[in-house]
Amino acid sequence: MSWRGFVAKLLYWPVRWLTRFEVIFDETISADVSPDSGSQHVVYVMRSTSITDLLVARRALRKAGLPDPAEPLLINGSRHARVMYLEQTRAETNEVAVEEFLQLLHSHEKERQLNVQVVPLGLFWGRKAGQEPREGNTMVADLDNPGRWRKFWLVMFSGRHILVRGSRPVSLRQMTDQHGASRRIAHKLARVARVHFVRLRHAVAGPKVANRERVISELLASEALQKAIAEEVRSKKISPEKARKRAHDYLDEIAANYSDTLVRMLDRFMGWMWSRIYNGIHVEGGERIRSLAQAGHEVIYVPCHRSHMDYLLLSYVIYKEGLVPPHIAAGVNLDFFPAGPLFRRGGAFFIRRSFKSNKLYSTAFREYLNRLFQKGYPVEYFTEGGRSRTGRLLTPKTGMIAMTIQGMLRGQQRPISIVPVYLGYEHVMEVGTYLKELKGKSKEKESAWKVLSSLRHLRNFGQGYVTFGAPINVGQTLDKLTPSWRDSITYGAQEPARPKWLTPTVNLVAEQIMQRINDAAGMNSVNLSALALLSAEQHTLSREKLVAQLNVYTQLLRDVPYSSDAYVPAESGEELWQLAKRQDKFTVVADTMGEMIRLEGISAIAMTYYRNNIMHMVIVPAMIAAFACAHQRFKLADVVNLLEQVQPLLKEELFISHAREDMQLWAQAIVDHLHSAGMLNVVADGEYVTVARDTSAYFQLQLLARAAGETLQRYAILFELLQQGGAQGRAVLEQAAVELAERLSAMHGVNAPEFFDKKLLSALISTLKREDLIEVNSDGNFVAHADVGELSDTIDRLLEPAVVQTIRQSVQRRLEA
């Protein structure tokens, strides 16, 4: 037995008792090197030569069903090392690894069937990034080989918090076929592996942490902030000392104070808390963000904003995916004691709601954000600016996105990728508060007491959903949208001028972000049940009809997915209802004929929030169903014509990502599904006919159609006002639309708070003007285009006659008044 073998045997039980680990392996490992793949030709590359690391790695790999690193690799009777070590500071160890790589490459030349998989294996004790070296100190500490004594203390204090990270395997067969088996290729393999480990440590632990006061001092000395301080002195006529102190105070208000020790403690607390309040957290797209981080990207997470839980949940999920939690842009209203200091140490930096008129603050914030980008800290911000009170995505605030793109203009070397994130819940604890605010109650100021009082009512929140959507590579996106953008880059510390192309480009990027958040949306038991019941008469369905309708929705979205990232639950309608029932949001009444499921009063209004989370996924199928129910016999071309006309409105209102030219293919797929589901029949001349009205299939089609009712009613109101109102100013048109929507809501029981939202109606009017359906006459008033009449009649036919009558009579009375 070798000396290392003897020590390993001696340390086996102490290390086993003192250590606990989490394992995250890239998905490709399972396919390429698992026992099911039939390959035991696996070698591992590690940074640390520590026997302790090897003992932990053996347990982790055994748990994953992968070959033991202590066992030699036998190829045609020849013995090869199973583990290769690449240390940061010892050249002799690296040369041994190069020699072992070379031997394996030669083996592949001799045996054509051989395919050894090289798996990089990283172990992180406590995930500490380490401190930035002090000025003048050029010593580089090897965090993976810290020495025997430091390792002893790591085992004692961080042994219960180890992350074992297995990365995507590299095929030596492919390397040999493409590049040969020379020593140069062996050296290249070792060099690439060393770079990979540097990036992996950066992804897992983040960049080295700097003292907060040092960060503030460095920013105060920056050229851009010095210039802003001088401008403050001139414009406000104050002393340089006072201006500098003001800048210091701004930075002190903004800057985070990240602590990996606190993050580790919060990880344990959050793990306990989530297990109490959630049945589970469903995560999609984790591999996507790990790949970006390991490729050296600056990752910026941009989630939708539903709840204060968003901050905690997303950071927790990112940490559990084996990545460093992001620095989070939080509203300054959350900077209250004791939450503010805790948030800062968890990575939060604070931002004011508005600072357009405060150039010194604006510069201080941009410099701080740019430092985060330059140092490689992942960042998170909510582009909606605040929590959605209706469950729909809000119109994005573009300030943070503009600063992100301006960061590219500062000569940012690392690629920046924006990752849209969908967050969904089966229960949002603030929904009751949102409804009060929508009724006119002032927003309450955040406080410790408010947080504690909300925690007193913690309950089971059901399932949480986190999906990391398709990333937006900022550099590549700018190449497409503004090919000359690199001409605006300013290298060095000077803040670049604001180019003319920035605002329109930022608006397009913001639109892409919101669409990709919706692309990643997830259906769950509560939002699906809400969708069905709010579409039913009296918001009531028998249990059998509710279960059947849940099956209609899920089967439709499985057969015709909204997007490749959208999540549709695998459970049956009955299983989904049992899950939704646990949330105690529905009234269940049993009689001799069975159970009736009902939404009553305030519950019906509250449930619109959950329905709105997924409205964009069902709006087009619902419109097609409404067209089918209204016409009974129709051609696909007529449906497509309607969808192409309203696509800009749907894009504005619901951030659907499907382009106008995609509507024909999408509509064809939906109609084919409705036909296969027995809701439509095809006649000889290629027309479609709805099934008989007295069938359950027709009831399901009609229930699907009603999901589009409120959207179609909004459009009908605007078109009727444009047709009958004559030339009118924008303000008059907006006010009339709001009043008519309020009247329609009261008369026909529309419970959705956003139905008469002035901002939404104003945005739709802007879209109609942009699409030339509204013209502006010589007096500056709005006039309907000639095409509005035909489109208005088409939409009116999809609505119930009583609703259309109310709209027309209300417009007429308004004109007569």
Side-chain angles (χ1 to χ4, degrees), residues 652-681:
E652 176 66 38
E653 180 180 354
L654 295 170
F655 294 103
I656 66 168
S657 57
H658 299 71
R660 182 177 281 170
E661 55 268 23
D662 296 333
M663 287 296 157
Q664 175 154 356
L665 188 61
W666 194 10
Q668 180 69 70
I670 292 169
V671 167
D672 288 346
H673 168 83
L674 296 177
H675 173 237
S676 65
M679 299 181 195
L680 298 176
N681 293 320

Side-chain angles (χ1 to χ4, degrees), residues 17-286:
W17 291 329
L18 292 170
T19 59
R20 185 173 59 191
F21 57 83
E22 292 182 75
V23 180
I24 298 179
F25 285 164
D26 284 353
E27 295 170 4
T28 50
I29 293 180
S30 300
D32 294 340
V33 301
S34 69
D36 295 337
S37 69
S39 172
Q40 289 294 305
H41 290 152
V42 182
V43 297
Y44 305 102
V45 180
M46 297 176 64
R47 289 290 300 277
S48 175
T49 56
S50 164
I51 294 173
T52 309
D53 278 26
L54 184 62
L55 289 172
V56 174
R58 290 184 67 185
R59 288 163 55 203
L61 292 165
R62 192 159 50 241
K63 181 179 179 180
L66 298 176
D68 190 335
E71 296 176 356
L73 175 65
L74 297 176
I75 299 175
N76 290 333
S78 298
R79 189 184 183 97
H80 296 266
R82 180 76 74 170
V83 182
M84 301 173 189
Y85 298 101
L86 291 171
E87 291 191 65
Q88 183 173 333
T89 56
R90 295 180 61 184
E92 62 272 20
T93 306
N94 295 332
E95 281 302 317
V96 171
V98 169
E99 191 61 39
E100 290 167 342
F101 273 132
L102 185 59
Q103 291 177 17
L104 286 172
L105 291 171
H106 285 319
S107 297
H108 282 75
E109 275 192 328
K110 296 174 184 176
E111 187 179 339
R112 298 298 304 171
Q113 300 303 315
L114 182 63
N115 186 13
V116 173
Q117 302 288 330
V118 179
V119 178
L121 196 65
L123 274 81
F124 302 91
W125 297 70
R127 303 208 211 177
K128 286 185 177 290
Q131 293 288 324
E132 277 192 3
R134 295 180 181 176
E135 193 172 350
N137 183 3
T138 58
M139 294 288 290
V140 179
D142 189 342
L143 297 174
D144 294 294
N145 276 297
R148 290 190 180 93
W149 279 110
R150 286 190 64 189
K151 194 69 171 188
F152 171 78
W153 293 116
L154 279 175
V155 173
M156 296 302 295
F157 292 103
S158 299
R160 311 293 286 176
H161 195 74
I162 305 170
L163 174 66
V164 181
R165 250 322 251 113
S167 302
R168 181 176 300 174
V170 175
S171 167
L172 290 187
R173 172 80 275 148
Q174 188 175 355
M175 289 294 295
T176 307
D177 291 345
Q178 291 181 358
H179 305 288
S182 65
R183 181 171 291 275
R184 182 180 63 84
I185 298 303
H187 270 288
K188 182 179 179 180
L189 277 169
R191 185 171 62 253
V192 169
R194 283 195 296 274
V195 171
H196 170 80
F197 280 119
V198 171
R199 287 180 172 175
L200 183 62
R201 173 165 284 283
H202 190 282
V204 169
K208 294 184 183 298
V209 179
N211 177 272
R212 186 170 183 269
E213 277 304 317
R214 177 182 165 185
V215 171
I216 292 174
S217 297
E218 289 177 354
L219 290 173
L220 284 171
S222 68
E223 184 179 335
L225 205 47
Q226 286 290 311
K227 185 177 178 181
I229 290 171
E231 177 63 27
E232 186 83 356
V233 170
R234 286 193 298 271
S235 63
K236 302 293 175 62
K237 298 186 179 353
I238 58 177
S239 67
E241 292 76 18
K242 189 172 182 179
R244 180 181 171 83
K245 184 180 183 304
R246 187 172 292 176
H248 181 281
D249 291 345
Y250 287 156
L251 289 169
D252 187 55
E253 176 187 301
I254 294 166
N257 190 22
Y258 183 80
S259 166
D260 47 29
T261 301
L262 179 69
V263 169
R264 186 169 64 183
M265 293 171 60
L266 286 175
D267 169 48
R268 294 176 181 175
F269 171 73
M270 291 301 164
W272 169 82
M273 189 176 80
W274 296 139
S275 65
R276 289 177 64 88
I277 66 175
Y278 288 112
N279 293 331
I281 301 170
H282 184 91
V283 180
E284 297 275 348

